[in-house]
Amino acid sequence: PGRIWLASDIHLGPDVPATCAAFLDFLGRARGQADALLLCGDIFDAWIGDDLAVLEPAAWLAPILQRLRELAQDTPLWLGRGNRDFLMGRTLAGHLGARLLPDTARLDTDCGAVLLSHGDEYCTEDHAYQRFRRIVRNPTVQRLFLALGRGTRRAIARWARARSMSANRSKHSRIMDVSPQAVAAAYARSGVDLMVHGHTHRPAVHRIEVGARMRTRIVLPDWECDHARPPRGGWLVIDREGPRLYGLSGEPIAG
Ligand code: OKV
Ligand code: MN
């Protein structure tokens, strides 16, 4: 209830200072105008453990955590895990004064029920990715990973990134998008008319008929301010007036 702001796929990291700056800017706007801020995954381009980030945050990360903490003091902040920052956990949430979103959340908004998730669970055609996802989301595997030292975790992360980059080069773009069947199944299961997710980096407002009902699927934009001309990014506002997408400087985006 109230005015909800949602953003996803910001992919913050040490190599994208302009994106980090744009995100800090966004947090400043959200603090004055949002009744709640929901970050729907891949906020960070990599996350190898809350312990490292909270105990000894890197120079690029410290101001981001600081601003998130400040915002959470007067604006409810919800953190959703993505396919990259799936290791974000209760230590980070506690440190920020934020709450963790479940993988799929059914939100009660001023324009009805909304099904919210990161979106990678709908990419069911990408079998290699779904296999990776099952392995790294296994609690035992995660416990083992988190028991490793910082250097070893970093080395594994570097290796995983290199492997994934070379694998993605040979994947057809249809395979990297959501599966229409998976989306239809989620509508049927949940009964909602509005679904919001990120992950695919294909921002859009899709209107489709499922089970003789018009449904809307809003794909949140990814953020890229360091190499992209013009810079990309934005967020979704949901309130009594319905869902609306905004660009990085707060300008409305058609949809
Ligand atoms: C996140 C992705 C790297 C995709 C590894 C167990 C295991 C966790 C991890 C390592 C990698 C997260 C934590 C990262 C997502 C990539 C490359 C591709 C497709 C293990 C638990 F199994 F190796 F022991 N990781 N990092 N990818 O660098 O943030 O989502 S990461
Ligand atoms: Mn993603």
Side-chain angles (χ1 to χ4, degrees), residues 42 44-49 82-87 120 126 129 132-133 135-138 141-146 148 153-154 156-165 168 171 199:
D42 288 3
F44 301 105
D45 194 56
W47 197 260
I48 57 172
N83 58 291
R84 307 205 65 98
D85 51 12
F86 60 87
L87 273 187
D120 55 318
D126 191 343
Y129 168 66
F132 169 84
R133 185 177 194 265
I135 295 168
V136 297
R137 288 168 66 106
N138 178 299
V141 171
Q142 291 194 355
R143 214 157 28 238
L144 287 167
F145 181 80
L146 290 171
L148 299 168
R153 281 189 248 172
R154 277 201 169 153
I156 292 174
R158 216 168 14 247
W159 171 81
R161 270 197 302 273
R163 244 193 84 109
S164 154
M165 257 196 282
N168 284 351
K171 283 180 193 170
H199 181 65

Side-chain angles (χ1 to χ4, degrees), residues 33-240:
Q33 299 180 64
D35 294 320
L37 175 60
L38 280 63
L39 300 173
C40 317
D42 288 3
I43 305 153
F44 301 105
D45 194 56
W47 197 260
I48 57 172
D50 289 2
D51 54 337
L52 303 178
V54 168
L55 285 175
E56 33 176 345
W60 67 271
L61 181 59
I64 291 165
L65 297 183
Q66 174 67 28
R67 285 282 192 94
L68 286 168
R69 275 179 80 123
E70 283 165 13
L71 175 132
Q73 284 172 11
D74 43 44
T75 309
L77 172 64
W78 291 82
L79 295 181
R81 302 172 177 97
N83 58 291
R84 307 205 65 98
D85 51 12
F86 60 87
L87 273 187
M88 288 193 306
R90 300 167 65 138
T91 302
L92 175 66
H95 176 73
L96 298 179
R99 308 276 311 271
L100 290 172
L101 282 167
D103 284 341
T104 308
R106 201 193 138 101
L107 309 177
D108 236 328
T109 74
D110 283 346
C111 64
V114 175
L115 194 69
L116 182 70
S117 64
H118 179 59
D120 55 318
E121 69 274 41
Y122 305 125
C123 298
T124 51
E125 295 301 308
D126 191 343
H127 301 288
Y129 168 66
Q130 293 298 333
R131 195 175 320 121
F132 169 84
R133 185 177 194 265
R134 271 197 303 277
I135 295 168
V136 297
R137 288 168 66 106
N138 178 299
T140 307
V141 171
Q142 291 194 355
R143 214 157 28 238
L144 287 167
F145 181 80
L146 290 171
L148 299 168
R150 175 201 192 98
T152 313
R153 281 189 248 172
R154 277 201 169 153
I156 292 174
R158 216 168 14 247
W159 171 81
R161 270 197 302 273
R163 244 193 84 109
S164 154
M165 257 196 282
S166 76
N168 284 351
R169 265 197 294 274
S170 62
K171 283 180 193 170
H172 192 280
S173 83
R174 182 170 41 77
I175 286 180
M176 309 265 283
D177 202 352
V178 298
S179 142
Q181 287 89 341
V183 167
Y187 276 121
R189 253 196 325 269
S190 64
V192 305
D193 291 329
L194 176 58
M195 193 152 136
V196 175
H197 67 80
H199 181 65
T200 62
H201 300 190
R202 300 171 195 211
V205 178
H206 298 282
R207 309 258 302 152
I208 47 163
E209 200 174 310
V210 185
R213 241 166 60 202
M214 278 317 286
R215 321 271 193 148
T216 307
R217 180 169 64 94
I218 300 181
V219 185
L220 300 167
D222 63 307
W223 293 45
E224 165 62 282
C225 303
D226 289 84
H227 313 293
R229 292 270 159 261
R232 267 197 328 273
W235 60 90
L236 181 73
V237 175
I238 300 180
D239 60 16
R240 268 184 309 227

